[in-house]
mmCIF file of all heavy atoms in Angstrom:
data_model
loop_
_atom_site.group_PDB
_atom_site.id
_atom_site.type_symbol
_atom_site.label_atom_id
_atom_site.label_comp_id
_atom_site.label_asym_id
_atom_site.label_seq_id
_atom_site.Cartn_x
_atom_site.Cartn_y
_atom_site.Cartn_z
ATOM 1 N N THR A 116 -1.016 3.221 -22.677
ATOM 2 C CA THR A 116 -1.376 3.870 -21.417
ATOM 3 C C THR A 116 -2.851 4.238 -21.412
ATOM 4 O O THR A 116 -3.575 4.067 -20.409
ATOM 5 C CB THR A 116 -0.546 5.163 -21.201
ATOM 6 O OG1 THR A 116 0.796 4.904 -21.577
ATOM 7 C CG2 THR A 116 -0.637 5.751 -19.813
ATOM 8 N N ALA A 136 -19.384 -1.206 -26.658
ATOM 9 C CA ALA A 136 -20.741 -0.719 -26.913
ATOM 10 C C ALA A 136 -20.717 0.502 -27.797
ATOM 11 O O ALA A 136 -19.854 1.391 -27.694
ATOM 12 C CB ALA A 136 -21.461 -0.451 -25.584
ATOM 13 N N VAL A 291 -48.432 23.283 5.834
ATOM 14 C CA VAL A 291 -47.447 22.221 5.576
ATOM 15 C C VAL A 291 -46.297 22.448 6.554
ATOM 16 O O VAL A 291 -45.762 23.545 6.623
ATOM 17 C CB VAL A 291 -46.909 22.313 4.102
ATOM 18 C CG1 VAL A 291 -45.834 21.250 3.895
ATOM 19 C CG2 VAL A 291 -48.021 22.192 3.124
#
Side-chain angles (χ1 to χ4, degrees):
T116 315
V291 177

